[in-house]
């Protein structure tokens, strides 16, 4: 049978795609990978993978306060196991009026290693400012991290403008080669600053964190190598352990330092944020070079060091200084910053408005025999001892004064000698630093054997410091146990030291100021007591704080200062006891004092003041005016009578 073939219809020509639709399709094709990446990033965040790496997060302990994010350092470390954690020093999210806010940036020296806590120079500064300007509020927030360098410092600095800093203090430079992302570190990236800055930014994304963890996991599985956390961080971070003076790697470290420091200072200067940047100090005399070139030629660090020792022994101190510095410059293991970095710090401070040089090096040289830095101020290669940290704080304090950033009234200024005498660094903190240093020096690159343990019972301080070093106890628990031990011994001076240490660590907790004030009153340290009572009252006003304040101020003959606290106590008196008579007396006392200030030879006014104070058994203040009356008129009958009353009260 014949098959009928149906002729096919002609295919209609396709309609050409419009240019708009073509561009739309191309745009969608280009955007699709980014949309997929964004979706994956969102899913990772939704399911809680990775970490938020912002510099600051809300303080979980105090509403309305911010603290440094414990994960923020992960942006800078290729191996997150090496990432370090800084301090958690809270500050108000919205800065209170009249508060002077200081941020501190840097590395291990800046954070106060090996003492930490109140051994850090910023705590010495905090204590000095609190007592020199007791009515001024200072916030000092230390953002330093160990094992970082100017990549981290500069990145932190860029984020500070929105937090209303009144000053930024910087001490950085020793970790430029072996700190995170340094040219000689295990996390270096081929000396490529552009790539490094891009990587720092990309690591904020959870997807990049996932990729980084995956790559590191595969690499470790293939190589079979794992990070040995038993090795000290210095050894884990140092990849290139021989960086020759003047080599390409050596110069790359200096160039990296210059670029980051310039960027940091330029940005803060443009924001009109005052910056105080310190030059660097390191051990010259009492630390031989770590790694020296072979032989005894002019490029041998060991040869230069030996010549320096010989010059020092024969009294040629200028020559010795030069040779010690040259030995440090030639040391191939670059844990001490080259002098070229100090030169650049001087240059950058002169280049940008609002940048002040802090000449710490001169301060240290002034307090070192023959101006040569050694064990008098430093523990090993770069970290100061407690005297050194006091000097570092003094250098910044003087620079703050020179920059006119501090109030002009310094009638209560603590001298450096007074600061060193009063600074509340407990024996536990001091011993903890000693033990930390023993452990550090036992390892690479020092390799100093641990001294034999003494066969004797350990003191309470030694026991707590030892437990603190091996992390068997937290610092707050150690301080609480130390406080209880001192109170049991009735050693109230040492107990005060602990209370002051705690209030520096927790500046927004009024309980520690209360405790310190109570101990001060018991030790007749009235001015210190007033400082702490006022601070506690500003943090949390109460009758219990107002009462000792007005009583102490009246004893010190400061009725005008006492009146506001008396008025507060009168209106917030839980017992209902009337303070009206005392208020009337204080107001009258203020009026008489004002008259007496205009006529200081008026015996009648002087006697009135003495009699007024005696009415409330205030023999201390009354004595002041009776003595004044008798100096004006030794036979004044009223003054003599008042003196007898004072003697009767004292008996």
């Amino acid at each position: 049978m014949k098959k009928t073939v149906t002729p096919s219809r002609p295919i209609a020509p396709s309609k050409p795609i419009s240019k708009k639709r073509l561009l739309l399709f191309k745009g969608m094709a280009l955007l699709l990978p980014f949309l997929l990446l964004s979706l994956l990033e969102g899913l990772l965040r939704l399911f809680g993978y990775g970490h938020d790496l912002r510099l600051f997060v809300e303080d979980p302990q105090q509403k309305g306060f911010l603290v440094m994010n414990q994960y923020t350092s992960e942006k800078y470390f290729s191996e997150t196991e090496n990432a370090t954690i800084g301090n958690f020093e809270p500050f108000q999210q919205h800065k209170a009026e009249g508060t002077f806010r200081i941020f501190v940036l840097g590395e291990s020296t800046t954070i106060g290693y090996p003492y930490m806590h109140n051994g850090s120079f910023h705590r010495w500064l905090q204590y000095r400012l609190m007592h020199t300007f007791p009515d001024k509020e200072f916030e000092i927030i230390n953002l330093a991290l160990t094992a970082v360098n100017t990549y981290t410092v500069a990145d932190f600095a860029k984020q500070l403008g929105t937090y209303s800093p009144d000053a930024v203090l910087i001490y950085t430079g020793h970790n430029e080669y072996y700190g995170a992302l340094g040219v000689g570190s295990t996390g270096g990236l081929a000396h490529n600053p552009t790539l490094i800055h891009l990587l720092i930014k990309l690591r904020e994304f959870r997807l990049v964190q996932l990729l980084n963890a995956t790559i590191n996991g595969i690499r470790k599985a293939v190589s079979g190598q794992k990070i040995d956390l038993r090795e000290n961080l210095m050894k884990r971070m140092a990849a290139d352990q021989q960086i020759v003076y003047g080599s390409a790697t050596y110069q790359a470290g200096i160039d990296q330092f210059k670029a980051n420091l310039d960027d940091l200072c330029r940005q803060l200067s443009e924001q009109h944020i005052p910056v105080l940047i310190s030059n660097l100090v390191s051990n010259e005399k009492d630390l031989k070079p770590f790694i020296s070139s072979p032989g005894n030629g002019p490029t041998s660090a060991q040869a230069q060091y030996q010549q320096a020792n010989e010059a020092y022994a024969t009294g040629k101190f200028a020559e010795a200084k030069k040779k010690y510095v040259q030995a440090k410059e030639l040391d191939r293991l670059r844990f001490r910053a080259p002098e070229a970095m100090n030169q650049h710090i001087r240059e950058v401070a002169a280049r940008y408005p609002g940048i002040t040089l802090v000449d710490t090096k001169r301060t240290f040289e002034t307090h070192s025999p023959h101006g040569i830095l050694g064990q008098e101020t430093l523990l090993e290669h770069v970290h100061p001892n407690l005297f050194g940290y006091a000097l570092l704080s003094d250098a910044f304090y003087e620079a703050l004064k020179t920059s006119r950033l501090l109030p002009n009234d310094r009638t209560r200024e603590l001298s450096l000698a007074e600061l060193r005498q009063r600074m509340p660094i407990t024996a536990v903190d001091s011993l903890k630093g000693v033990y930390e240093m023993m452990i550090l020096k036992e390892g690479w690159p020092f390799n100093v054997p641990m001294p034999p343990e003494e066969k004797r019972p350990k003191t309470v301080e030694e026991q707590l410091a030892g437990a603190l070093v091996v992390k068997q106890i937290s610092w707050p628990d150690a301080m609480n146990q130390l406080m209880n031990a001192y109170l049991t011994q009735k050693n109230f001076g040492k107990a005060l030291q602990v209370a002051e240490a705690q209030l520096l660590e927790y500046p927004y907790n009024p309980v520690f100021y209360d405790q310190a004030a109570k101990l001060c009153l018991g030790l007749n340290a009235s001015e210190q007591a007033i400082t702490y009572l006022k601070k506690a009252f500003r943090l949390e006003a109460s009758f219990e704080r107002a009462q000792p304040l007005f009583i102490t101020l009246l004893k010190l003959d400061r009725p005008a200062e006492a009146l506001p606290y008396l008025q507060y106590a009168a209106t917030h008196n839980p017992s209902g006891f009337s303070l009206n008579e005392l208020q009337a007396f204080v107001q009258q006392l203020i009026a008489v004092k004002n008259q007496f200030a205009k006529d200081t030879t008026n015996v009648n006014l002087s006697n009135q003041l003495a009699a007024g104070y005696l009415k409330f058994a205030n023999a201390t203040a009354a004595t002041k005016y009776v003595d004044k009356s008798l100096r004006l008129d030794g036979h004044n009958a009223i003054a003599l009578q008042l003196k007898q009353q004072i003697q009767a009260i004292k008996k």
Side-chain angles (χ1 to χ4, degrees):
M1 190 173 177
K2 197 171 178 181
K3 202 170 184 181
T4 306
V5 178
T6 306
S8 60
R9 289 182 185 179
I11 299 171
S14 59
K15 199 172 184 179
I17 300 173
S18 68
K19 285 186 177 180
K20 283 186 177 179
R21 293 184 71 186
L22 186 62
L23 286 171
L24 178 63
F25 289 146
K26 286 183 177 180
M28 289 177 65
L30 288 171
L31 286 173
L32 186 59
F34 294 101
L35 290 171
L36 290 173
L37 290 173
S38 297
L39 177 62
L40 183 54
E41 176 71 17
L43 288 171
L44 289 171
R45 289 174 183 261
L46 180 65
F47 289 101
Y49 180 82
H51 296 126
D52 176 0
L53 303 184
R54 289 176 297 164
L55 179 54
F56 298 117
V57 294
E58 291 184 10
D59 183 0
Q61 307 297 325
Q62 299 180 90
K63 189 177 179 180
F65 284 77
L66 298 174
V67 291
M68 187 179 181
N69 182 358
Q70 65 174 319
Y71 299 111
T72 194
S73 64
E74 292 183 5
K75 281 202 292 183
Y76 315 103
F77 288 84
S78 299
E79 303 282 359
T80 54
E81 294 97 327
N82 289 331
T84 54
I85 297 174
N87 293 337
F88 300 104
E89 298 184 323
F91 63 97
Q92 297 179 71
Q93 192 165 0
H94 303 290
K95 187 172 75 170
E97 187 178 351
T99 297
F100 193 91
R101 177 173 290 172
I102 300 172
F103 287 109
V104 180
L105 301 174
E107 306 154 3
S108 56
T109 295
T110 316
I111 205 173
Y113 180 85
Y115 307 101
M116 318 304 274
H117 301 287
N118 296 325
S120 169
F121 89 84
H122 84 292
R123 291 284 174 84
W124 288 80
L125 181 61
Q126 183 182 347
Y127 187 85
R128 193 175 197 175
L129 291 174
M130 181 182 2
H131 289 282
T132 299
F133 309 103
D135 297 319
K136 177 78 174 173
E137 294 293 341
F138 291 93
E139 287 180 336
I140 307 183
I141 306 102
N142 193 330
L143 304 176
L145 293 168
T146 57
V148 300
N149 56 35
T150 52
Y151 278 119
T152 303
V153 172
D155 195 49
F156 279 8
K158 292 173 189 175
Q159 302 174 63
L160 295 181
T162 57
Y163 299 99
S164 308
D166 295 291
V168 175
L169 314 185
I170 301 172
Y171 185 94
T172 185
H174 284 306
N175 288 352
E176 216 54 39
Y177 291 95
Y178 301 124
L181 300 172
V183 295
S185 75
T186 51
L189 292 174
H191 310 176
N192 191 324
T194 303
L195 182 60
I196 289 172
H197 287 298
L198 177 62
L199 181 62
I200 289 171
K201 189 65 183 173
L202 288 175
R203 281 178 176 168
E204 295 177 5
F205 294 97
R206 311 301 171 89
L207 182 57
V208 175
Q209 294 175 33
L210 175 62
L211 288 171
N212 187 64
T214 303
I215 292 168
N216 283 339
I218 293 170
R219 178 175 54 79
K220 290 172 187 175
V222 171
S223 66
Q225 294 179 344
K226 293 183 179 180
I227 293 178
D228 188 353
L229 296 177
R230 292 171 300 177
E231 293 181 339
N232 67 45
L233 191 56
M234 291 176 73
K235 188 173 183 179
R236 301 205 306 267
M237 294 295 292
D240 188 349
Q241 296 178 11
Q242 293 213 26
I243 299 175
V244 177
Y245 181 79
S247 66
T249 306
Y250 170 88
Q251 190 57 47
I254 292 172
D255 292 343
Q256 164 187 303
F257 179 78
K258 286 182 176 181
N260 288 332
L261 205 63
D262 273 336
D263 189 32
L264 180 161
C265 290
R266 177 181 52 79
Q267 291 203 36
L268 293 179
S269 178
E270 287 173 355
Q271 295 176 71
H272 306 290
I273 298 171
V275 175
L276 288 80
I277 183 165
S278 172
N279 53 19
L280 303 162
V281 296
S282 57
N283 198 333
E284 298 164 350
K285 174 172 61 71
D286 297 312
L287 183 84
K288 66 181 182 180
F290 290 116
I291 299 177
S292 179
S293 62
N296 295 314
T299 62
S300 167
Q302 185 57 46
Q304 294 293 319
Y305 184 74
Q306 183 60 39
Q307 291 171 29
N309 283 337
E310 291 168 0
Y312 192 92
T314 56
K316 299 175 182 176
F317 302 117
E319 181 184 343
K321 171 82 170 178
K322 183 178 178 181
K323 292 287 185 181
Y324 281 129
V325 172
Q326 187 63 11
K328 184 256 296 185
E329 294 286 284
L330 293 170
D331 189 346
R332 292 188 173 190
L333 187 57
R334 300 209 166 272
F335 282 121
R336 292 178 288 179
E339 286 304 305
M341 292 183 182
N342 273 343
Q343 177 60 34
H344 186 66
I345 290 169
R346 285 191 291 272
E347 291 170 359
V348 81
R351 185 177 306 137
Y352 296 104
I355 312 296
T356 299
L357 173 67
V358 180
D359 200 349
T360 297
K361 190 174 182 185
R362 177 178 290 182
T363 301
F364 272 60
E365 287 173 343
T366 301
H367 291 85
S368 301
H370 316 293
I372 302 172
L373 305 189
Q375 63 186 0
E376 293 80 13
T377 56
L378 294 148
L379 292 167
E380 17 74 312
H381 58 313
V382 294
H383 298 110
N385 56 26
L386 287 173
F387 177 43
Y389 277 118
L391 293 178
L392 183 55
S393 78
D394 188 56
F396 274 101
Y397 177 73
E398 292 299 326
L400 282 166
K401 286 165 59 177
T402 302
S403 303
R404 299 183 179 179
L405 294 171
L406 298 178
N408 293 324
D409 182 11
R410 289 191 281 272
T411 53
R412 295 185 58 184
E413 183 175 53
L414 287 182
S415 67
L416 176 60
E418 289 172 318
L419 176 65
R420 290 185 63 200
Q421 184 179 9
R422 287 177 51 179
M423 183 66 191
I425 298 172
T426 69
V428 168
D429 290 312
S430 179
L431 284 167
K432 185 255 186 188
V434 172
Y435 299 158
E436 288 274 14
M437 196 50 53
M438 286 181 185
I439 294 168
L440 178 75
K441 287 186 174 182
E442 187 181 32
W444 182 89
F446 304 98
N447 303 314
V448 177
M450 189 84 71
E453 188 175 354
E454 295 181 51
K455 302 295 182 182
R456 59 170 178 79
K458 288 185 172 62
T459 65
V460 171
E461 293 87 350
E462 288 170 335
Q463 292 174 38
L464 291 173
L468 200 55
V469 167
V470 297
K471 297 179 173 56
Q472 289 180 345
I473 190 173
S474 68
W475 189 85
D477 286 342
M479 291 300 105
N480 288 336
Q481 290 188 34
L482 189 62
M483 172 66 82
N484 291 333
Y486 288 148
L487 290 176
T488 301
Q489 298 166 12
K490 300 191 182 305
N491 190 337
F492 301 118
K494 289 289 186 182
L496 173 59
Q497 190 181 58
V498 178
E500 289 185 301
Q502 290 172 308
L503 66 85
L504 285 174
E505 184 78 10
Y506 306 106
Y508 290 100
N509 190 333
V511 171
F512 294 120
Y513 294 95
D514 290 336
Q515 191 173 33
K518 185 177 179 181
L519 289 163
C520 285
L521 290 172
L523 294 165
N524 294 318
S526 299
E527 285 296 344
Q528 277 181 266
I530 288 169
T531 295
Y532 294 139
L533 285 168
K534 282 185 175 181
K535 179 68 176 179
F537 187 85
R538 290 197 294 268
L539 289 170
E540 191 178 285
S542 69
F543 174 84
E544 289 72 23
R545 295 188 178 104
Q547 185 182 40
L549 254 174
F550 74 71
I551 290 172
T552 306
L553 287 166
L554 286 173
K555 282 183 178 178
L556 296 177
D557 185 31
R558 288 150 67 175
E561 210 174 327
L563 184 59
Y565 301 105
L566 175 57
Q567 291 171 332
Y568 178 91
T571 55
H572 297 80
N573 187 351
S575 69
F577 179 78
S578 176
L579 293 171
N580 292 338
E581 184 183 358
L582 183 57
Q583 282 190 82
F585 159 70
V586 171
Q587 288 168 338
Q588 183 182 2
L589 199 62
I590 293 169
V592 176
K593 276 201 74 173
N594 289 337
Q595 287 181 288
F596 188 63
K598 298 173 185 176
D599 184 7
T600 56
T601 61
N602 192 318
V603 176
N604 291 332
L605 291 174
S606 183
N607 287 339
Q608 275 188 47
L609 291 167
Y613 277 123
L614 274 178
K615 184 178 180 182
F616 289 89
N618 187 345
T620 303
T623 299
K624 172 183 172 181
Y625 289 103
V626 166
D627 289 346
K628 175 73 173 176
S629 295
L630 292 173
R631 283 196 299 272
L632 293 169
D633 180 1
H635 301 288
N636 186 276
I638 296 174
L640 290 170
Q641 187 179 2
L642 290 169
K643 189 167 185 177
Q644 289 178 348
Q645 293 179 34
I646 291 169
Q647 290 170 346
I649 290 172
K650 287 181 177 180
K651 286 180 181 179

